[in-house]
Amino acid sequence: MKSFVRGLFVTSFLAVGSLITSCSKDALPTFEEGLVGRWEWQQTAAQSQRLLTPDNTGHRVVVEFDRRGRARFYQDGTLISAAAFSVRRELGGFGKQSKHLIIYRGYQNNQYYSVAGNKLQLQDTNGKLLAHTYTRVVPEVSAQLPDHKPY
């Protein structure tokens, strides 16, 4: 009986191990994947200042993060800045959650970020309490059928 249980355990262990190793690393989502995409600015909240929005600033701001580590910043449809970025996870101390950090190359300021559904929250790390909220821009899909000419 012991050998049967041991054999069942070993077989189960090997089966689970082969399933795990057969999945490619690219197929597994990472915390960076949620950041990739096009994001439209909704508001910026600053301590003891009024809430900034596209309506009261008169500007539409979009940021785009791609899989190759490039961030592009647009204001009113015009590219105003671009930067290479990387993402790092900072482990929290005892009882604290870990944070995800965007590190922009060539800029002095980095940002903590979190993604929940179609909302992106950015928090500046420069000590200023600025919280920026963005909404994911869903790409428009147009189905264009090829022109078929009758024969």
Side-chain angles (χ1 to χ4, degrees):
M1 184 69 169
K2 286 183 182 178
S3 63
F4 174 75
V5 173
R6 187 180 318 151
L8 184 59
F9 175 76
V10 169
T11 304
S12 299
F13 181 77
L14 292 174
V16 170
S18 67
L19 283 174
I20 291 171
T21 58
S22 68
C23 296
S24 75
K25 185 178 178 187
D26 295 335
L28 298 175
T30 62
F31 61 93
E32 295 99 337
E33 282 299 311
L35 182 61
V36 172
R38 199 168 167 87
W39 301 90
E40 185 171 6
W41 175 62
Q42 300 299 307
Q43 67 182 27
T44 295
Q47 199 173 41
S48 72
Q49 293 181 2
R50 72 182 182 140
L51 189 69
L52 300 175
T53 66
D55 290 337
N56 64 24
T57 62
H59 295 290
R60 181 175 173 250
V61 177
V62 172
V63 61
E64 184 176 287
F65 296 98
D66 69 22
R67 282 179 167 66
R68 295 177 302 184
R70 293 288 294 169
R72 291 176 184 80
F73 304 91
Y74 299 87
Q75 182 173 316
D76 302 323
T78 302
L79 179 67
I80 56 169
S81 180
F85 75 93
S86 60
V87 176
R88 186 175 77 210
R89 183 174 172 188
E90 287 188 350
L91 298 176
F94 182 71
K96 294 183 180 179
Q97 285 187 323
S98 62
K99 293 182 178 180
H100 299 117
L101 179 66
I102 303 171
I103 301 165
Y104 300 101
R105 286 187 214 105
Y107 288 94
Q108 291 181 2
N109 194 27
N110 298 317
Q111 295 177 310
Y112 292 110
Y113 82 93
S114 64
V115 175
N118 68 341
K119 297 285 185 201
L120 169 66
Q121 295 282 3
L122 297 176
Q123 176 75 45
D124 294 348
T125 62
N126 62 0
K128 296 180 182 177
L129 297 177
L130 296 175
H132 313 281
T133 304
Y134 290 78
T135 301
R136 186 181 299 275
V137 176
V138 179
E140 293 179 22
V141 177
S142 64
Q144 294 184 353
L145 300 175
D147 292 335
H148 285 69
K149 296 181 183 179
Y151 293 99

